[in-house]
Amino acid sequence: MKSQFPVTLTLLPPPEDRRGEVEIVEEWARGLDWVHWLLGSVRARTEKLSMNGGGWQSFTDGVFREKIAPALEQAWEAAHAGDLEALLAADEALGARFTTDENERSRHAGAVLLKSTRKARYQGVLGHFRDQIAAGRSDGHLAVVWATVGCFFHLSLANVIAEYLRLEWDIGTRDDLKRREPNFGLITRDTLFGRMREPRAL
């Protein structure tokens, strides 16, 4: 089912742009503090997500790179196109990549986010996706729900990825008093420009 309504699409500037890619992504993140509240309920009601005892680097190089990042991109593109079938396919594909524990945590967090956004008006494909989940036809994984919610609020793919990473960091390190915030812009840039998908040197 494809929407007949026009969509807003934000593109990264070409690589020859004189500002650097990291600077571009970080610039987009400025002034978007309001986005933080969109995921506030997930932060408050989720004890653990995908970042486990292996630490941040292990998470970004492993679960995020191999499972979550592709789902965020596929779901964001599907939501922008108003393509419910592609959105459902992205959700199913992510579930197939997750372990049993990852599936359970992801579905729980997705349900929390859906509940916190249920009163938004004119939800379009987000509303249709919500209906499919309620009918048991889709799991509603957090990455897919968040990408769809982000699209509904006209967030760029860069912002959707960066805020997802920030959420994982906040939840995964909330008990670490010595934590130092990583460069979300750098990781987002690597994801958007495909560097995280390149095989690592042996």
Side-chain angles (χ1 to χ4, degrees):
M1 178 187 305
K2 293 192 177 183
S3 171
Q4 300 302 312
F5 295 100
V7 296
T8 302
L9 179 63
T10 303
L11 298 175
L12 280 172
E16 60 267 21
D17 190 297
R18 279 179 283 179
R19 298 171 296 162
E21 294 163 5
V22 175
E23 184 180 350
I24 291 166
V25 172
E26 289 177 344
E27 182 177 303
W28 285 355
R30 294 189 195 109
L32 285 173
D33 292 342
W34 63 270
V35 176
H36 198 73
W37 72 264
L38 286 174
L39 292 167
S41 60
V42 180
R43 283 183 177 85
R45 299 173 189 169
T46 304
E47 183 178 339
K48 186 187 297 185
L49 273 176
S50 301
M51 182 183 162
N52 292 316
W56 180 248
Q57 194 64 47
S58 174
F59 163 70
T60 55
D61 286 346
V63 175
F64 180 76
R65 171 181 174 170
E66 297 165 6
K67 303 177 183 180
I68 297 171
L72 285 168
E73 182 177 2
Q74 291 162 11
W76 184 87
E77 290 175 349
H80 256 289
D83 190 340
L84 178 60
E85 293 305 317
L87 200 57
L88 295 172
D91 196 54
E92 183 178 2
L94 180 56
R97 290 192 292 266
F98 272 159
T99 65
T100 301
D101 287 345
E102 289 168 345
N103 259 302
E104 184 178 339
R105 292 193 298 268
S106 177
R107 288 196 307 267
H108 164 76
V112 170
L113 180 56
L114 278 174
K115 184 176 181 181
S116 70
T117 58
R118 72 184 181 280
K119 293 184 179 178
R121 300 178 68 184
Y122 312 117
Q123 294 189 23
V125 73
L126 173 60
H128 296 309
F129 185 41
R130 182 190 305 278
D131 291 342
Q132 293 296 305
I133 294 167
R137 299 188 189 104
S138 196
D139 288 335
H141 290 287
L142 174 63
V144 179
V145 173
W146 167 236
T148 310
V149 168
C151 177
F152 175 74
F153 283 97
H154 305 288
L155 296 179
S156 69
L157 177 57
N159 291 135
V160 165
I161 294 171
E163 287 304 318
Y164 183 91
L165 286 165
R166 193 180 308 278
L167 175 70
E168 286 276 7
W169 173 258
D170 287 347
I171 291 175
T173 64
R174 70 176 77 192
D175 296 326
D176 184 358
L177 300 178
K178 297 181 180 179
R179 70 179 185 172
R180 295 179 63 187
E181 191 168 283
N183 188 330
F184 298 112
L186 179 62
I187 300 170
T188 302
R189 179 208 70 179
D190 288 345
T191 303
L192 287 168
F193 283 87
R195 292 186 178 90
M196 292 188 74
R197 296 179 195 147
E198 294 173 1
R200 282 171 280 180
L202 299 176

